[in-house]
Amino acid sequence: MDDTPSRLPAALPALRSKARDAGFVMSSEDRTGSLLAALAAARPAGRILELGTGAGEGTAWLLSGMDPASSLTTVELDPDIQAIAREQLGTDRRVTFVSGDGGAWLEEFDGAPFDLVFADTWPGKFTHLDRALDLVAPGGTYLIDDLIPQPGLPEGHEASVGRLLAELDEREDFRCVRLAWASGLLMAVRTA
């Protein structure tokens, strides 16, 4: 079976080209993207949080799965990289772009929980984990990627992954599944 996605978001070619031109190489890969689209589609009128917009490839996948009543908040530390996503996806009224530190945003956010949280950056995954998990609604999904060693990840990444997986395994309020697929994923669903 070929697991290469056959339906790609329309904005993906332009996002990839501009990310490449900017030297940004840490975008979500297509299999992860197709899972994001499916998870977003499973939540009609869903509230979605993406930590780590990057150049917007994950954002495009999420938007491609969302229905018209869903909303997406996406947070990125680097405003120059996020500008690529804003330029290509900013006319979509379902998305709100936040430029700033994801950890600070997590600490300050006081709104309703989210049906899907995709943590694609350090905050919400390796730091501020408890706060990110607190923002997952009952029955909601928390997804992280980049758990398998690969080029471009910082030194000490593998040790951080080990600590993270051990911490998530101990939680009684989430059911986790590890996926040794794509860039290495973990999906956790908050128990009701």
Side-chain angles (χ1 to χ4, degrees), residues 15 18 71 81 91 106 118 130 143 150:
L15 290 167
K18 292 182 180 293
S71 63
I81 293 298
T91 59
L106 285 167
F118 175 45
D130 287 338
L143 182 72
Q150 56 190 299

Side-chain angles (χ1 to χ4, degrees), residues 19-35:
R20 190 172 37 255
D21 291 347
F24 186 78
V25 297
M26 294 302 294
S27 292
S28 296
E29 59 98 49
D30 287 348
R31 292 175 297 168
T32 301
S34 67
L35 178 60

Side-chain angles (χ1 to χ4, degrees), residues 10-77:
L12 214 53
L15 290 167
R16 285 187 175 151
S17 174
K18 292 182 180 293
R20 190 172 37 255
D21 291 347
F24 186 78
V25 297
M26 294 302 294
S27 292
S28 296
E29 59 98 49
D30 287 348
R31 292 175 297 168
T32 301
S34 67
L35 178 60
L36 289 170
L39 291 171
R43 295 295 184 166
R47 290 179 35 82
I48 300 169
L49 172 63
E50 177 185 36
L51 297 167
T53 312
E57 289 187 39
T59 310
W61 281 104
L62 287 163
L63 288 168
S64 76
M66 291 166 48
D67 72 1
S70 293
S71 63
L72 168 63
T73 300
T74 183
V75 182
E76 172 60 40
L77 178 62

Side-chain angles (χ1 to χ4, degrees), residues 95-110:
V95 64
T96 300
F97 292 96
V98 177
S99 291
D101 179 80
W105 186 91
L106 285 167
E107 291 170 2
E108 295 168 8
F109 180 76
D110 66 351

